[in-house]
Every structure is written in structure tokens, then in C-alpha cells.
Amino acid sequence: MSKFDDIKMPDNIDEVTKNAIRRGKTKKHRHRRMNKVASILAIGWVGIFVGFPVIVKALPNIESLITSFIESALPQSHVNKLKDESNANNIVVKDENAIITLEKSVLDSQIFVASMTIESDFLKQYDENDLRYNLYANTHISIGDKDNLVGGGPDIIKKIDENKATLVVSAYVGDTETDNNIDVYINLENLEIKSNEWKNEDRKELKGDWKFYINVEKENTIEKIDVKDSVNIEDNVMTFESLEITPLATYIKLTYDETLDDKWHFGRYKIVDNNGKEYRYSQIDGHTYEGKWNIKLAIYDDLSNIESLSITPYTEDTFIESKIHNQDTIKMVTTMEQNSEIEDKIFSRDVEERDLDVDTKPAHKYEGEKISYHLDIDKERKFYTIDELIGKEIQTSKQSSVTIKDIKVDNKNTVVTLKINGDYAILNQIVLFDEDMRDTYSGIYVTHKGKWPSNTHWNNAKDEYYSSGLATFIIDKIDVNKKYKLAVPLQKEINLNKNYTMNVKIK
């Protein structure tokens, strides 16, 4: 028997809450879709149900139940700290249009994160199933004083009820503040329902002046190591300056000569520990100072048992390019059993009306054009029911994979949630193929000249890739009675230059 079985459900709570409790009791909960929150300086966060003010007000002491069935797409370290009651603020600002609550906040030497909730009838206009629109909150975040602006929105909001929503705001603070207690100012200026199609300026707006002031105590740094390990790259110096570990993240600081070729400014880094495990990261800062680039990377995994870490910069693309019908695409890999015999296959079909923004250009104008996929696929061609797909792992390289966490099908859409394992950085599209290899896709590459036909489908990649390792995609509704294969981009194995590797001994 579940320890929550004795929870009684009052008649006055909403259906969202009731469903949460039912799921907690049965322990058969699936993870609901989380929407992306815009970031400052390439930090990727996702809106989460932190605090649950409306639900908790109705049913005290069940926050752990609610959080247990929602897998947040924030890094787990951030989730743990935001759940801590010592970080509670519970500041309410309201006017005739909205009630905004600053629930909880957390700050370390580099990053500030806060969870907020919104209650407003303005939210009733927004339907999350309408993929043409997103719901935003425009925010400004200042640290130390009101004029020291460090971050802000637009941040995408996640609805939790007809007129209630939650969001997470975040900002990169940097190394400038040394006080243990810091003043933080948050100004939420407006809510906005806006078309996510580049050509469409359609929007609805609720203006406000919802301001918050809090004094936040910094999370202590567990360890800071001055590394100072340098390598020579194309007659320029790159230096691993320092490593800092806090309860929120592990931060790596790099510097390199400003004269280094521009390709390195947009390069990537392979980060590996002494056990050979590779780590994802977010680049949270990049600026020039006194002739040098200063780069800050954040790793959100637990490194407490790691003895050493190495970092190697590289500039190669991680996707595998392919050319089909004289057009560029990328190679993908499908769901298959371990040790399957793999075929390298190309599948093409004509552009159909479902692929097109037909208001811009009628479907018949694309006659003869193709949508194509280059796949690694098992020779056996094994397909799976939706339930069978959940839990399947797709190997995307020797050191990376994705696990299918959940697939939900409602009356309009299919929501696919994936967990990224290892250093996998190119999850920008997915495709579901049925047994006839008919595709249902998000973010496809279309092999035709000129404007890509797919407009709305390109925007269906709601959540692409996050340091926490979760990604959610929305695609068209599929037939749950059929069997499918899931395809994701295949990641290229990178040939690293070992002379560029920098190291730090942690223990």
C-alpha cells in the first residue's frame, strides 16, 4: 500500500490536483511536458512545478507527492535547493489583473534561480495545445542594486490550471559579488501570448509592474581549485584557470587569447572524468577582457566521487552531414535491439500538404520535392507499441544515448520526453516511423530548394536540449494502435587533439 493511500481529496480542489494524487497513489505516473524558459548567456532552464502554492494551499503536506510524479527538467541540484524550505520567500505582489508569488530562490557564486507562480484570468486565453503560440513573462533581474541588471526574460511559462501558471527565472551573476548576503530585485513587467512563427506578430499582452525585493544568502562554495593548466593552440594560449564546486553546479573557468581563430569562439569542449564518463555542460559566460576571452562552463552532475577531470576543446561539428537529392540533411539512428545488424538506408517521400504552410505557398507548388531521412536502422525492422517504446535506449554514439522516458497521446498531439545520457549535444529533432515508414516528425530537414516547407512543425521542438538531460518534443497525433520506431540524430565520434587537453586533480 502506498503511504499516500490515506490522503482524502476535498471536493473543492481542482482536477489537476486530483489527478496528481491519483497518479501518486497508483505509482504509474508518467511525466508531463515541461516548457522551456528563455535564458541569459546560454543557460537553459525549464519551467517546473516548484512550490505548488495553489495545490499546497488546498492540501498541505503533500508537496513531496506532487513533485514525485513530475520530473523537472531543471538540473537536479537546482531542484533540490529550490525544494529546501530554507530558501522559501513566499512574497506576494498583486493588482487588479494578477497575483504573482515569488515562491523560492537560490544563489551561489555564479547563478541565481527563483521559482514564481502567477494567477490571472489573462491565462485563460492560452491553450498549450495550440502549437502556434507560446506564453511568456518579461522579467528584469538586478543584483546588488536596482541598476545592476544581470538577467531577465522573456521566460516561457507553464500553465498548471485554467488561470494559474508557474515559471523559473534565472540569471548569471558572475564573480563580482563577494558578500554572503546579496540584494536581488525582480521586476515582472508583462505577460504575453505570442505567435512562435517568425512571420507572425500576433500577440496578446497583460501589462503590470510586479516588483520583488529579496535578500538572498549565498550557497557556500564546497571547493575552489586554482588549476592554471595551459595548452598551445595554433600559437595561442588556452588556460584552464579554475574549478569551483557549489551545491548548484561545478564551474570551469577558461581563458584564451583574443587572437585565436574565430572558429574556437563557437567551439565545444569534451569533458571527461578519470573513469571515462563524459559530461554535458552549459556555457554561462563568454566575454573579452584585456585581450583574452573569458569562458565559464557549468556542469550539473555530482562530481563528489571524481578524482580528476580533463577538458579538451574542439571545433568539429558533432552531427553527421548527408546530402540527399542535392540537399543537406543529417544522419539519424532508430530504436533497435542491442547487437542488431544495422543497415545504412535513405528513405524519401514527396512533400505533402501536412508538411506545408499552405497559406504562404500552396502544396502543389512543391510537386516533385522530397522529404528525406538518412538512417541507421536495424535490418530486422523491429517496431514497438507505445508502451514498449517507453524505457528503450537509443545509442547515439559510443559514449552517449537517449532514453525514451514517456510518450503521451492526447486528442491533438503526441508528446515525447527523452532523457539524454552522456555528452550528447544535437537533439534538435525526432521522428516516429510506423511500420510503413510513414513519418511523424519535429524539426525535420527538408530536401528542397528555397524556403523550407515546414513552418509550424519546425516550432514543435518545444524543448530541445538542456543541461539536466531532459528534452520534450510535441508532434502530430499518432495512432496508438500502431507500432513505431523513434529516430534521433546520430552523433559523430570526435577525433580530439590530445595536445589540447587540460587537466585538474580534484582529490
Side-chain angles (χ1 to χ4, degrees), residues 195-322:
S195 171
N196 62 17
E197 298 177 359
W198 63 272
K199 65 174 187 174
N200 191 339
E201 294 298 324
D202 184 25
R203 69 173 187 169
K204 298 180 179 72
E205 183 181 30
L206 177 66
K207 292 184 178 181
D209 192 22
W210 305 290
K211 294 180 179 178
F212 298 86
Y213 159 75
I214 53 176
N215 185 266
V216 184
E217 182 178 356
K218 274 188 179 180
E219 299 292 328
N220 293 327
T221 294
I222 297 173
E223 186 174 11
K224 186 169 184 178
I225 303 171
D226 288 324
V227 183
K228 303 296 183 183
D229 188 12
S230 297
V231 294
N232 189 287
I233 300 177
E234 299 176 1
D235 297 323
N236 292 268
V237 176
M238 181 177 288
T239 302
F240 187 167
E241 297 283 355
S242 64
L243 179 141
E244 181 179 8
I245 302 172
T246 82
L248 292 186
T250 295
Y251 302 103
I252 292 173
K253 183 179 180 181
L254 304 169
T255 61
Y256 57 86
D257 296 340
E258 197 173 352
T259 53
L260 191 60
D261 192 284
D262 283 349
K263 66 184 179 182
W264 293 97
H265 304 339
F266 305 100
R268 292 191 53 80
Y269 304 90
K270 183 77 74 174
I271 303 175
V272 185
D273 67 20
N274 54 287
N275 297 314
K277 179 180 177 180
E278 300 184 11
Y279 294 91
R280 296 179 304 277
Y281 65 88
S282 289
Q283 181 171 325
I284 60 174
D285 187 27
H287 68 274
T288 57
Y289 179 70
E290 294 184 347
K292 287 187 177 293
W293 273 97
N294 290 260
I295 305 296
K296 187 69 63 68
L297 310 178
I299 302 172
Y300 303 107
D301 294 77
D302 181 8
L303 302 185
S304 58
N305 296 318
I306 301 307
E307 295 181 3
S308 62
L309 206 65
S310 68
I311 180 168
T312 309
Y314 64 92
T315 60
E316 291 184 52
D317 288 328
T318 54
F319 55 82
I320 300 172
E321 292 181 288
S322 184

Side-chain angles (χ1 to χ4, degrees), residues 227-425:
V227 183
K228 303 296 183 183
D229 188 12
S230 297
V231 294
N232 189 287
I233 300 177
E234 299 176 1
D235 297 323
N236 292 268
V237 176
M238 181 177 288
T239 302
F240 187 167
E241 297 283 355
S242 64
L243 179 141
E244 181 179 8
I245 302 172
T246 82
L248 292 186
T250 295
Y251 302 103
I252 292 173
K253 183 179 180 181
L254 304 169
T255 61
Y256 57 86
D257 296 340
E258 197 173 352
T259 53
L260 191 60
D261 192 284
D262 283 349
K263 66 184 179 182
W264 293 97
H265 304 339
F266 305 100
R268 292 191 53 80
Y269 304 90
K270 183 77 74 174
I271 303 175
V272 185
D273 67 20
N274 54 287
N275 297 314
K277 179 180 177 180
E278 300 184 11
Y279 294 91
R280 296 179 304 277
Y281 65 88
S282 289
Q283 181 171 325
I284 60 174
D285 187 27
H287 68 274
T288 57
Y289 179 70
E290 294 184 347
K292 287 187 177 293
W293 273 97
N294 290 260
I295 305 296
K296 187 69 63 68
L297 310 178
I299 302 172
Y300 303 107
D301 294 77
D302 181 8
L303 302 185
S304 58
N305 296 318
I306 301 307
E307 295 181 3
S308 62
L309 206 65
S310 68
I311 180 168
T312 309
Y314 64 92
T315 60
E316 291 184 52
D317 288 328
T318 54
F319 55 82
I320 300 172
E321 292 181 288
S322 184
K323 201 172 269 298
I324 308 172
H325 303 294
N326 296 317
Q327 297 296 318
D328 294 326
T329 186
I330 64 172
K331 194 171 185 182
M332 306 183 77
V333 59
T334 63
T335 322
M336 64 183 81
E337 299 298 301
Q338 287 187 347
N339 303 317
S340 294
E341 185 177 352
I342 299 174
E343 290 186 322
D344 185 312
K345 299 288 289 185
I346 291 173
F347 296 90
S348 296
R349 65 167 174 83
D350 292 337
V351 170
E352 300 173 4
E353 192 160 332
R354 66 188 175 109
D355 305 306
L356 306 175
D357 178 0
V358 294
D359 293 335
T360 301
K361 191 172 183 180
H364 70 269
K365 296 291 186 181
Y366 292 101
E367 187 176 352
E369 304 294 356
K370 299 288 184 182
I371 290 177
S372 300
Y373 301 99
H374 187 184
L375 303 177
D376 269 359
I377 189 170
D378 55 315
K379 192 172 184 179
E380 183 185 2
R381 300 287 196 276
K382 184 168 184 179
F383 291 79
Y384 306 86
T385 66
I386 297 303
D387 287 341
E388 289 172 340
L389 277 175
I390 296 172
K392 289 291 183 185
E393 186 174 355
I394 305 174
Q395 200 70 33
T396 52
S397 72
K398 289 181 181 178
Q399 300 291 334
S400 68
S401 65
V402 297
T403 302
I404 304 172
K405 297 291 291 183
D406 199 11
I407 301 176
K408 290 184 179 300
V409 183
D410 59 26
N411 60 348
K412 290 184 178 180
N413 305 306
T414 303
V415 180
V416 180
T417 303
L418 304 175
K419 175 70 169 66
I420 300 134
N421 311 302
D423 181 22
Y424 181 55

